[in-house]
Every structure is written in C-alpha cells, then in structure tokens.
C-alpha cells in the first residue's frame, strides 16, 4: 500500500526525506500501458521539426524535447495528474504551476553526458526565479540502470547554495547552452569530488514509469550512455505560484508562462499505481 494512502502522514515523511536529502523515491509507478503511450508521444514529437526538439552536437539524434505539455494533449494530461500535483504541492508547500517540461532521451550508445550542475543556477541567473521553491519530478520512460547514463546526485548538496557561478555573459545566455552537453552553469569536477567525499553520492535508478523527486539546487550529473539501452527521462518541474519569475526572456518552452495554479485532472489513459 502506498505511504500516501488516506493521509498526509506519508507525504510528510517524504517531505522530511526530501528536505534533508534533496531527493527521494516516490512510491508510485505508471502502468506499462501508460509508459507505452508516453513513449509513443515522445517518438512522434521527436520526429517533428520545431525549436522544442534539440539534437546532440553535430548529429541527427534527438537529445531532448521541451515544453510538450503546451502542445501535446497526453503530456498536458500527465502534468495535471492529481497525484503528481498533490505530491508537488506537498513538497513545495502551496499551489504550483509547470515551470518546465522536458524529456532527455539519452539514446543508446550516443546519448551525451550532463556535466555536474545545479538547475537553480540557470533558473535564478537566466530567469530571475527568486527562491528554489520548485521540484523536479523525474519519470524514466525506459528502465534505468548503472550503465545507461543514470542521474547521479550528491545528497544534501541542495542546502549549500549555488557553486562556481560564472559572470553572466551573452554566451551564457544563449539558451542552447542550457540544454546541450556544453552547459553554461556547471559545478567544477573538483568541487563535485570534494562534495562526494563529504556527503556520498546516489544514483537515481528505477523501472520505467517509476517516480523520483529532486531539488533544484542539488548537485547532479549524468554520464554518456555507452550501453545498448536508451535512457529516456521525462522531467516535470513544478514551481510555487508565488515564485514565478517576473520577466522571463528565455523561450516559453524552457520557462512556462502560464503561472496559474495547475488544476488536477484525471485521465483514464495515465494510470499511476501505488508501490
Ligand atoms: C539527465 O537527463 O541525465 C540530466 C537531467 C538534468 O540535469 O536535469
Ligand atoms: Mn539538471
């Protein structure tokens, strides 16, 4: 039975783990049929020519797709799923809206790494988000194991502020440098190694359809995918409604402009089972 069933006690427990560690497993999993449906939508969107679809460097392979909840009705239903909304509201402590939606595809053999970084560095420096009162909900669309480029996090690092921020420049502000392998705001490898020596590290692994939450300030990375298995990871960022940036300039597929509280809505095609 889910720890959330019938009470807020389970959610309180998760919140205390999330607050302390900066990440936690969420005790739910989308059904295989739901994952299949999402994979089909991702394949269809990936085949389109549009700015939301980003490719690996000098390659025709799709690296990521963005903002899909704005134009795809299955993705729109996903972000409104009542359980996801309830979890996000519980972890953040108030009404939320969708700040960002993306699927990082990490294609088999060629999907490139994400260097060490903190998401909040981008959101504060580029968008003017005042506080890190947001949460990433990660949903793998493929089974994630140690060899297909899982997310690696440094537990507790979300409490330490932002590291190694460069001066803002024209170059940093090119949004393509916020979604490529050559990231604009990184945490240095030496810093990450020091943090790991102090605090350890944790891989975010799991079956397709499982759920994990991680904090905007947690130090994280993921390696190249040299395995034969794709590692598609769907990420929804919910932000507190009262923390919406005032004048964002990046494209709306990277910074959601509809900051009204999201209305929970059931969709029979997306079945989330307690684990
Ligand atoms: C990844 O998909 O491995 C990186 C995701 C992230 O940095 O948020
Ligand atoms: Mn990130």
């Amino acid at each position: 039975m889910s720890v959330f069933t019938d009470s807020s006690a389970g959610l309180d427990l998760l919140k205390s783990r999330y607050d302390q560690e900066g990440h936690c497993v969420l005790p739910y999993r989308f059904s295989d049929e739901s994952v299949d449906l999402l994979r089909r939508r991702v394949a269809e969107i990936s085949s389109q020519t549009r700015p939301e679809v980003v490719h690996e460097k000098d390659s025709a392979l799709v690296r990521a797709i963005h903002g899909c909840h704005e134009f795809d009705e299955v993705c729109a239903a996903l972000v409104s799923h009542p359980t996801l909304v309830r979890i996000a509201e519980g972890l953040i402590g108030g009404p939320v809206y969708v700040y960002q939606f993306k699927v990082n595809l990490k294609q088999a053999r060629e999907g490139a790494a994400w260097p060490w970084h903190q998401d909040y560095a981008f959101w504060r420096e580029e968008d003017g988000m005042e506080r890190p009162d947001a949460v990433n909900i990660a949903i793998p669309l493929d089974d994630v194991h140690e060899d297909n480029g899982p997310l690696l996090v440094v537990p507790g690092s979300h409490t330490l502020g932002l590291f190694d921020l460069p001066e803002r420049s024209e170059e940093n502000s090119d949004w393509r440098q916020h979604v490529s392998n050559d990231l604009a705001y990184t945490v240095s490898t030496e810093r990450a190694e020091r943090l790991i020596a102090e605090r350890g590290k944790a891989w975010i692994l799991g079956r397709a359809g499982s759920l994990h939450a991680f904090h905007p300030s947690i130090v994280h990375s993921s390696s190249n995918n040299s395995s034969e298995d794709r590692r598609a990871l769907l990420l929804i960022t919910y932000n507190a409604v009262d923390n919406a940036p005032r004048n964002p300039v990046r494209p709306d597929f990277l910074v959601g402009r509809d900051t009204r509280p999201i209305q929970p809505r059931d969709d029979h095609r997306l079945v989330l089972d307690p684990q």
Side-chain angles (χ1 to χ4, degrees), residues 102 114 117-119 151 214 220:
K102 57 188 181 256
W114 293 83
H117 67 279
Q118 296 168 290
D119 293 343
L151 270 179
F214 65 97
H220 62 288

Side-chain angles (χ1 to χ4, degrees), residues 75-271:
C75 296
L78 178 66
V79 301
S80 310
H81 192 290
T83 306
L84 296 190
V85 174
R86 191 160 55 90
I87 292 169
E89 287 176 346
L91 294 180
I92 293 176
V96 298
Y97 71 97
V98 178
Y99 185 72
Q100 207 170 74
F101 179 107
K102 57 188 181 256
V103 184
N104 293 336
L105 284 151
K106 267 294 170 82
Q107 309 278 3
R109 294 178 296 281
E110 292 184 60
W114 293 83
W116 289 108
H117 67 279
Q118 296 168 290
D119 293 343
Y120 184 50
F122 296 83
W123 303 341
R124 193 183 79 179
E125 297 299 294
E126 295 297 326
D127 306 332
M129 185 191 275
E130 275 184 25
R131 307 179 304 278
D133 288 352
V135 60
N136 292 307
I137 306 284
I139 310 170
L141 301 182
D142 300 310
D143 292 346
V144 183
H145 50 78
E146 287 192 11
D147 296 325
N148 62 348
L151 270 179
L152 180 58
V153 302
V154 181
S157 56
H158 65 301
T159 60
L160 304 175
L162 292 178
F163 295 111
D164 303 335
L165 286 181
E167 290 292 312
R168 277 200 78 207
S169 70
E170 289 276 303
E171 201 185 317
N172 293 344
S173 298
D174 179 349
W175 67 265
R176 287 167 200 81
Q177 256 205 283
H178 308 156
V179 297
S180 77
N181 173 243
D182 181 23
L183 286 182
Y185 298 92
T186 55
V187 172
S188 71
T189 308
E190 300 70 41
R191 169 93 58 196
E193 281 168 0
R194 261 203 318 278
L195 288 169
I196 289 169
E198 288 160 14
R199 293 171 179 266
K201 61 186 177 187
W203 276 279
I204 296 187
L205 309 174
R207 289 176 65 191
S210 58
L211 300 187
H212 211 107
F214 65 97
H215 191 278
S217 299
I218 200 165
V219 174
H220 62 288
S221 68
S222 67
S223 58
N224 292 335
N225 183 5
S226 48
S227 81
E228 297 299 310
D229 304 324
R230 190 185 74 161
R231 190 238 56 183
L233 185 65
L234 190 154
L235 292 152
I236 307 168
T237 305
Y238 295 97
N239 186 22
V241 164
D242 65 3
N243 192 38
R246 286 185 225 289
N247 295 303
V249 294
R250 294 198 302 164
D252 58 6
F253 55 81
L254 293 182
V255 189
R257 300 300 202 267
D258 182 354
T259 66
R260 293 171 299 176
I262 194 152
Q263 297 305 315
R265 169 163 69 85
D266 260 317
D267 186 305
H268 69 279
R269 295 169 300 177
L270 296 170
V271 177

Side-chain angles (χ1 to χ4, degrees), residues 32-52:
D32 291 343
E33 293 73 21
S34 310
V35 172
D36 272 350
L37 175 62
L38 289 164
R39 281 191 193 135
R40 288 200 297 277
R41 297 313 306 149
V42 169
E44 162 58 27
I45 295 164
S46 299
S47 72
Q48 298 172 7
T49 303
R50 51 190 312 155
E52 291 91 341

